[in-house]
Amino acid sequence: MRTGTIGRGLGLATALAALITGLPMTPASAGRAAPQPVPAAAAPAAFTHPGVLVSRPQLDFVRAKVQAGAQPWKGAYDQMMASKYASLSRTAKPRAVVECGSYSNPNYGCTDEREDAIAAYTLSLAWYITQDSRYAAKAIELMDAWSAVIKDHTNSNAPLQTGWAGSSWPRAAEIIKYTYSGWPNAGRFATMLRDVYLPKVINGSNSNGNWELSMTEAAIGISVFLEDRTSYDKAVGKFRGRVPAYIYLTSDGALPRTAPGSGLDTRDKIINYWQGQSTFMDGLSQETCRDLTHTGYGLSAISHIAETSRIQGQDLYPEIADRLRHALGLHAKYQLGAAVPSSLCGGSLKDSLGPVTEVGFNALHNRMGIAMTNTQTLTEQRRPAGTDNLFVAWETLTHAENPS
């Protein structure tokens, strides 16, 4: 009896170990890839500042290149400084409630908020590169105007709007707080991010993937500024669940993966969610057959999140490098004019990726040594990358060939 009890105990222990490690248990699981263990989230013991999308070493690299008149940085800097976002006469347009419906209709403060946030980031970059305090003061003016007024985001696009603006605000705030002396209302700005923005984005979304990715980008950036380790870990967890559900690899099997909590539990539901696409290939995005613009939003947010994590000492690029390189390469190929096969979105792709390839290309190709011919061609053809007026801005300036 005692031997039998031990045997049953060992059998249970073996089964439990198999469940924990994801090892196949029975012949029924043969032919299926074993689930990959997901690394535990790990916020840094000490956050690095400035550390949202751009670090101080990266900023120093950019400043030196601009001062030397080197290209493509000088051209990218000139483009930024000529934009409306660098204007020292800009007047903030804050409001207590930003109401954004589908496709920003109605648009009560949506454009104003996103553009004031991009302007604050633009002015913070201008401050660091020129060391002209007028730019820092103007960035502070914009951030103070909004932190004094805003209370909520409403209507159907509220989560996405909060994600877009909430991605730009902490980039600006990080640069100003940690490279410029004299921001008395920095604490009030932090309270705004904590109370108005973070609750809207931290729990993610089961809508299209670009929504959750932009919301997650905002959550991670805000968490860095607030030094909120719990929120940072939660956001990284969302990221790790969403990226494999947004970009397909053939190693995923016959169908794409699904994000936790998505409810996509049948083949028909998954294909419908993938815009009716039933043929899958390396690098295909959940929104490729919707249009390239929304796909670009998702790929950009993925790159931004990984870049911030790398600065914070928890490099997520290795986890997502294969998916991101295939996705950038596939979409760049067709953006460059290759014929679209009938098996891909019925042979037609809509719209344009936008200025979204610099960050991912620099990380994967220049830092990690991955060959990315199509992405390189598209990136270099489109320089200097400007802004999408939503949450992407000046990435040739900040990330082109940036080794830091």
Side-chain angles (χ1 to χ4, degrees):
M1 288 295 293
R2 194 169 176 81
T3 303
T5 302
I6 293 171
R8 287 197 299 273
L10 288 172
L12 288 171
T14 303
L16 181 59
L19 286 171
I20 291 170
T21 59
L23 291 173
M25 275 286 294
T26 68
S29 65
R32 289 206 307 261
Q36 295 300 306
V38 177
F47 286 94
T48 297
H49 303 291
V52 176
L53 188 59
V54 289
S55 64
R56 188 184 291 266
Q58 288 175 316
L59 291 168
D60 287 339
F61 172 85
V62 172
R63 185 169 183 241
K65 291 294 187 183
V66 172
Q67 288 179 334
Q71 299 296 352
W73 305 275
K74 181 60 166 61
Y77 168 78
D78 290 342
Q79 173 198 43
M80 181 184 80
M81 297 304 286
S83 76
K84 63 183 178 180
Y85 298 113
S87 172
L88 288 170
S89 61
R90 185 179 189 87
T91 301
K93 297 179 180 178
R95 61 173 66 210
V97 177
V98 174
E99 182 182 352
C100 308
S102 181
Y103 290 91
S104 294
N105 181 25
N107 182 340
Y108 299 131
C110 316
T111 301
D112 292 338
E113 179 189 32
R114 293 193 307 264
E115 294 194 351
D116 278 348
I118 290 173
Y121 175 53
T122 302
L123 291 157
S124 72
L125 290 173
W127 142 250
Y128 197 89
I129 292 168
T130 65
Q131 295 294 292
D132 183 336
S133 62
R134 293 177 301 164
Y135 294 108
K138 178 58 72 170
I140 290 169
E141 179 185 311
L142 298 179
M143 291 189 284
D144 283 355
W146 279 90
S147 69
V149 172
I150 190 167
K151 300 298 180 187
D152 200 8
H153 298 85
T154 64
N155 214 319
S156 59
N157 256 35
L160 182 60
Q161 171 72 21
T162 309
W164 281 341
S167 293
S168 296
W169 285 130
R171 296 177 206 160
E174 281 280 301
I175 293 172
I176 295 300
K177 182 175 180 180
Y178 293 99
T179 72
Y180 179 76
S181 59
W183 184 12
N185 291 317
R188 188 178 74 196
F189 189 82
T191 299
M192 176 193 81
L193 293 180
R194 182 181 296 107
D195 294 349
V196 179
Y197 288 81
L198 190 58
K200 276 285 197 296
V201 297
I202 190 60
N203 293 316
S205 165
N206 284 321
S207 184
N208 279 306
N210 82 84
W211 276 53
E212 182 157 271
L213 289 162
S214 286
M215 292 164 68
T216 302
E217 178 184 351
I220 283 181
I222 290 167
S223 297
V224 170
F225 186 71
L226 298 178
E227 299 195 326
D228 183 337
R229 303 182 83 250
T230 300
S231 293
Y232 183 96
D233 282 348
K234 185 172 183 176
V236 168
K238 288 289 181 185
F239 178 77
R240 285 176 160 148
R242 175 57 67 173
V243 174
Y246 193 70
I247 300 170
Y248 175 81
L249 290 178
T250 54
S251 58
D252 294 336
L255 291 171
R257 296 189 188 183
T258 57
S262 68
L264 301 174
D265 53 7
T266 69
R267 181 179 187 275
D268 286 347
K269 287 180 182 178
I270 292 171
I271 289 173
N272 182 62
Y273 187 61
W274 283 65
Q275 321 299 323
Q277 178 74 6
S278 59
T279 302
F280 302 98
M281 61 209 70
D282 282 329
L284 185 74
S285 156
Q286 179 249 318
E287 296 184 278
T288 302
C289 296
R290 179 186 186 184
D291 59 65
L292 294 184
T293 301
H294 285 88
T295 299
Y297 298 162
L299 300 184
S300 182
I302 289 170
S303 301
H304 293 167
I305 292 164
E307 191 73 2
T308 294
S309 78
R310 189 189 63 86
I311 293 168
Q312 296 304 325
Q314 179 205 28
D315 194 349
L316 295 173
Y317 276 119
E319 294 179 30
I320 54 100
D322 209 32
R323 293 183 191 275
L324 184 58
R325 76 176 180 91
H326 278 298
L328 289 172
L330 178 75
H331 296 89
K333 174 182 175 180
Y334 295 114
Q335 192 80 87
L336 289 166
V340 182
S342 60
S343 60
L344 177 59
C345 309
S348 177
L349 295 174
K350 295 188 294 184
D351 300 339
S352 170
L353 278 178
V356 303
T357 62
E358 289 278 15
V359 176
F361 174 69
N362 184 57
L364 301 182
H365 177 71
N366 295 330
R367 293 199 197 109
M368 297 176 70
I370 298 170
M372 300 174 71
T373 305
N374 290 327
T375 306
Q376 180 169 3
T377 301
L378 181 66
T379 301
E380 292 176 352
Q381 276 187 8
R382 302 266 170 119
R383 284 176 175 166
T387 177
D388 66 358
N389 302 306
L390 299 173
F391 72 109
V392 178
W394 325 124
E395 293 180 357
T396 297
L397 176 65
T398 56
H399 287 84
E401 300 174 40
N402 198 322
S404 300

